Amino acid sequence: MLGYAIKRIALALLILVVVMLGMFAMVFVIPGDPASIALGPRATPELKALLIQRMGLDQPLLSQIWHFFRAAATGDLGIDVWSKRPVLDVILEVFPQTLLLGVVSLGWAVVLGIALGCLAVIWRDTFIDRLLGVLSVSMISVPSFVIALYSLLIFAVWLGWLPAIGAGQKGDWASQARALILPSFAIGVTWIGYIARLVRASMLEVMGANHIRTARAFGLPETVVVLKYALRIAIVPTIAIVAIGAGSILSSAVFVETVFSRPGIGTLITGAVEKRNYPVVMGTVLFMTAFYLVVVTAADLLIARLDPRVRDVLRG
Amino acid sequence: MSFAAEEITEELPPPGRSALGQLLRDPMGMTGAILVITFIILAIFAPLLAPYDPIHIDVRHKFQPPNLAHWAGTDQLGRDMLSRLIWGARVALGISMTATGIAGVLGLLLGLVAGFGPRWLDAVLVLFFDSFSSLPMIMFALAVITVLGPGIPTLILVIVLVSVPGYGRLIRAQTLALKGADYIQAERTIGASSARIILRHLLPNVVGPLVILLSMDIPVVIMLEAGLSYLNLGVGPPTPSWGNILYDGYTSLRSAPYMVIAAGIPLVLCTLGFTFLGEGLRDALDPKLKLRAAR
């Protein structure tokens, strides 16, 4: 297990280095130099020279790469061109909001998804099973920002039940919770579909196993067999897909946060892209990639711990 | 891009004769096929089917709710919404099919190279595939857009770059699985060239799964195009895209709610159609899943 863990973490670090090199290379494919882009039309030769010096663009290439990696390793992601604050501070300020949104969305999606998946298995090959199947596929394929817009229109504009924008008042838990309902609904719907399907499929695979047959032979009711014996094993692939899905949740969050004008990584980076605020965009991309790699690696290790067979498969 | 690749890992047989019949007998696949064909017709014949010029501005008739002259109403500049939505189908399908097409071909080539070529090249390509798929898709897309500026070519480039690793991985896995097969070993013993083995035996066997994966990715790509255009980072005005029409609707959500409602419908139906079709195709072509469904 330890050997596998070391290998897996080393791979994640290697990928992070490749990604960073790729991002560094992107600075050189920009039409025009990054300093003029960051400054935009306001650029005067003096300002440009100052910025080029500050960004280290006048240094030799290898030393630039070295500085970039050393700075990133110590958490220095550069300075926000507009607010003049460290990029890491700007990111850390809004990151908890996105994390909260993602966790809440996934949380209720996992609960509902597993429940629907179990229902489909209990009533398998009936009309309900087929209905749940179509429903899951439909939930997967509807874009989250359309759900966000429709739910915003219905529940905030027409019915006026829930707030339309923002993340609620600071310190007021009730208003923050109310502001979470619609965005987490919009992000979660897709995941109910995914998880329901996955739970159903992996459970049906488990249903033929020996220990299930034994449980049936002992005369246990079908509900007990499904919930107590099949679900335990079927839950493993769900962890995997939830971890891989961290990236896709982030995508939904970017769009949904914009629809609800919610502070977070999504509104931060889209605003930065519009203003061509280069350090913030690159810093956020790097931060989120690192975060994503941590999540995926942790999930892989967790799965390997739960199911030793996986260790051998992933080793290849 | 993210999940379909995980789902199709089994070796699939080449499309059989009954596959089409199978697809059409399945109500979900049938619905998907009808929806997809409808949108393809809308996209191809947009100039004939759209009742008005989609970019003709008529400020005197702005914000008209749906009526007999304008079935889906008019927008903030008095442009006919229905015409814009029909042209939007052309933009959505044009971009998504071009981009997934290019990505499919590139993925096929890289996957074959990785699976069939020398070991070290395989290792480099796998690291490249893994690194690219480790980037959260949206973050990568936004980084590229910042560097190159928004627009349709950037959008296509972004989609190609985020899709290729998934396709490459699939083709590589298929190639590796087939390479060890007895009949290919036999062929090699007789002295067949690598080119012959790739063209005669590998290619026909790996194309089927790739087509299924491509059709399942099209809705994801349509969503990405609409989403980025909604953020004003994809297809820019005045070209109609479902995403930027939704954004126009969002800015006048209180005064003209019909705009958001009307613009969401084709987007939802289109992604739904392609997803249903992809599911139907997979069920029809993959006997393993059929077996599972029959149990």
Side-chain angles (χ1 to χ4, degrees):
Chain A
M1 179 70 203
L2 187 67
Y4 172 73
I6 291 171
K7 254 186 187 165
R8 191 63 195 77
I9 292 169
L11 180 67
L13 283 175
L14 181 63
I15 290 175
L16 191 63
V17 168
V18 172
V19 167
M20 283 171 72
L21 280 176
M23 282 179 37
F24 190 81
M26 266 168 81
V27 179
F28 290 95
V29 301
I30 316 175
D33 62 304
S36 336
I37 285 178
L39 288 169
R42 304 171 301 155
T44 61
E46 300 82 56
L47 257 176
K48 227 173 95 177
L50 188 70
L51 195 69
I52 283 176
Q53 197 202 356
R54 204 182 296 160
M55 288 168 90
L57 293 172
D58 50 352
Q59 306 279 322
L61 186 59
L62 273 177
S63 120
Q64 277 190 49
I65 296 181
W66 165 244
H67 280 292
F68 178 67
F69 273 80
R70 203 183 52 182
T74 54
D76 174 9
L77 296 178
I79 302 289
D80 179 345
V81 185
W82 287 74
S83 70
K84 305 279 178 262
R85 292 171 53 207
V87 171
L88 190 64
D89 289 5
V90 178
I91 294 172
L92 287 178
E93 195 177 277
V94 293
F95 179 64
Q97 290 284 357
T98 303
L99 193 62
L100 179 71
L101 180 62
V103 169
V104 170
S105 312
L106 249 187
W108 74 268
V110 165
V111 172
L112 268 181
I114 290 180
L116 287 183
C118 289
L119 283 184
V121 171
I122 292 172
W123 283 313
R124 64 182 167 277
D125 299 329
T126 64
F127 173 71
I128 297 175
D129 182 18
R130 241 160 284 148
L131 187 75
L132 285 175
V134 175
L135 196 69
S136 309
V137 178
S138 312
M139 288 196 279
I140 293 171
S141 58
V142 176
S144 54
F145 74 102
V146 175
I147 299 176
L149 284 169
Y150 278 14
S151 61
L152 175 73
L153 182 66
I154 296 170
F155 295 105
V157 176
W158 284 347
L159 295 173
W161 289 351
L162 293 162
I165 56 164
Q169 257 123 39
K170 259 202 185 119
D172 180 355
W173 286 101
S175 95
Q176 284 180 13
R178 272 164 54 86
L180 256 177
I181 295 176
L182 288 182
S184 67
F185 169 72
I187 297 175
V189 168
T190 312
W191 285 90
I192 300 177
Y194 270 126
I195 294 168
R197 262 170 56 135
L198 195 75
V199 167
R200 176 183 179 278
S202 48
M203 264 200 183
L204 284 182
E205 225 151 69
V206 175
M207 291 310 268
N210 285 338
H211 77 286
I212 299 290
R213 208 174 51 196
T214 311
R216 283 213 184 108
F218 273 95
L220 291 178
E222 186 68 10
T223 327
V224 175
V225 173
V226 168
L227 295 181
K228 205 167 167 202
Y229 295 99
L231 185 60
R232 261 171 94 159
I233 296 177
I235 210 88
V236 174
T238 311
I239 300 175
I241 204 143
V242 161
I244 298 166
S248 146
I249 288 199
L250 189 64
S251 293
S252 313
V254 168
F255 297 123
V256 169
E257 280 175 2
T258 325
V259 170
F260 291 101
S261 314
R262 234 186 114 79
I265 291 291
T267 33
L268 174 72
I269 192 168
T270 46
V273 173
E274 253 164 63
K275 287 188 211 138
R276 292 218 155 191
N277 193 340
Y278 210 76
V280 172
V281 176
M282 288 308 170
T284 313
V285 172
L286 192 56
F287 183 86
M288 292 316 295
T289 306
F291 176 72
Y292 178 65
L293 277 172
V294 169
V295 172
V296 175
T297 310
D300 269 0
L301 294 178
L302 183 64
I303 291 165
R305 178 127 191 91
L306 287 177
D307 187 346
R309 287 170 305 175
V310 178
R311 254 175 269 166
D312 303 325
V313 176
L314 285 178
R315 204 169 271 158
Chain B
M1 254 141 282
S2 36
F3 306 104
E6 315 297 325
E7 284 168 14
I8 311 174
T9 47
E10 302 295 328
E11 176 194 338
L12 305 182
R17 229 181 313 162
S18 64
L20 187 69
Q22 181 85 29
L23 176 70
L24 297 181
R25 242 175 289 140
D26 167 28
M28 200 161 86
M30 184 73 191
T31 315
I34 293 175
L35 282 171
V36 167
I37 291 169
T38 311
F39 277 103
I40 290 177
I41 291 174
L42 283 177
I44 294 174
F45 299 107
L48 299 176
L49 294 171
Y52 297 89
D53 178 357
I55 54 172
H56 175 71
I57 296 174
D58 179 7
V59 191
R60 281 173 310 156
H61 294 108
K62 66 175 183 183
F63 289 134
Q64 286 196 350
N67 56 49
L68 282 179
H70 300 280
W71 289 5
T74 60
D75 68 1
Q76 76 281 7
L77 298 170
R79 296 174 296 195
D80 180 54
M81 286 281 290
L82 183 64
S83 307
R84 288 182 71 69
L85 293 175
I86 291 174
W87 279 85
R90 180 176 265 207
V91 170
L93 293 193
I95 291 177
S96 56
M97 286 183 166
T98 313
T100 41
I102 298 173
V105 172
L106 278 178
L108 187 66
L109 289 177
L110 290 180
L112 280 175
V113 167
F116 212 81
R119 264 275 178 80
W120 64 268
L121 194 59
D122 182 37
V124 170
L125 282 171
V126 167
L127 183 63
F128 158 77
F129 293 156
D130 281 351
S131 310
F132 258 73
S133 34
S134 302
L135 280 166
M137 180 172 80
I138 188 73
M139 289 293 142
F140 177 72
L142 290 173
V144 173
I145 291 168
T146 318
V147 170
L148 298 179
I152 292 178
T154 311
L155 204 53
I156 291 178
L157 179 72
V158 164
I159 296 167
V160 169
L161 287 177
V162 297
S163 313
V164 164
Y167 305 150
R169 265 178 165 176
L170 172 81
I171 299 294
R172 173 181 174 271
Q174 298 269 323
T175 311
L176 285 179
L178 283 173
K179 215 163 79 171
D182 287 341
Y183 74 98
I184 298 223
Q185 295 294 344
E187 182 95 348
R188 191 170 293 168
T189 328
I190 309 173
S193 66
S194 293
R196 183 185 154 83
I197 292 176
I198 290 178
L199 290 176
R200 292 266 319 164
H201 298 292
L202 291 180
L203 215 53
N205 278 306
V206 297
V207 162
L210 182 66
V211 168
I212 303 177
L213 190 56
L214 287 177
S215 76
M216 294 178 89
D217 266 354
I218 286 184
V220 182
V221 171
I222 292 177
M223 274 188 234
L224 185 66
E225 181 269 312
L228 289 173
S229 303
Y230 174 88
L231 295 175
N232 204 9
L233 297 173
V235 180
T239 310
S241 143
W242 292 333
N244 65 32
I245 300 173
L246 270 170
Y247 181 74
D248 289 343
Y250 171 70
T251 53
S252 32
L253 193 62
R254 281 167 207 276
S255 55
Y258 62 89
M259 279 174 69
V260 160
I261 298 173
I265 292 170
L267 180 53
V268 169
L269 287 182
C270 192
T271 50
L272 220 54
F274 272 105
T275 311
F276 281 0
L277 182 67
E279 296 276 319
L281 272 178
R282 194 181 55 179
D283 288 352
L285 296 175
D286 185 351
K288 194 170 174 261
L289 285 171
K290 235 184 296 172
L291 214 83
R292 194 187 288 163
R295 186 155 53 187

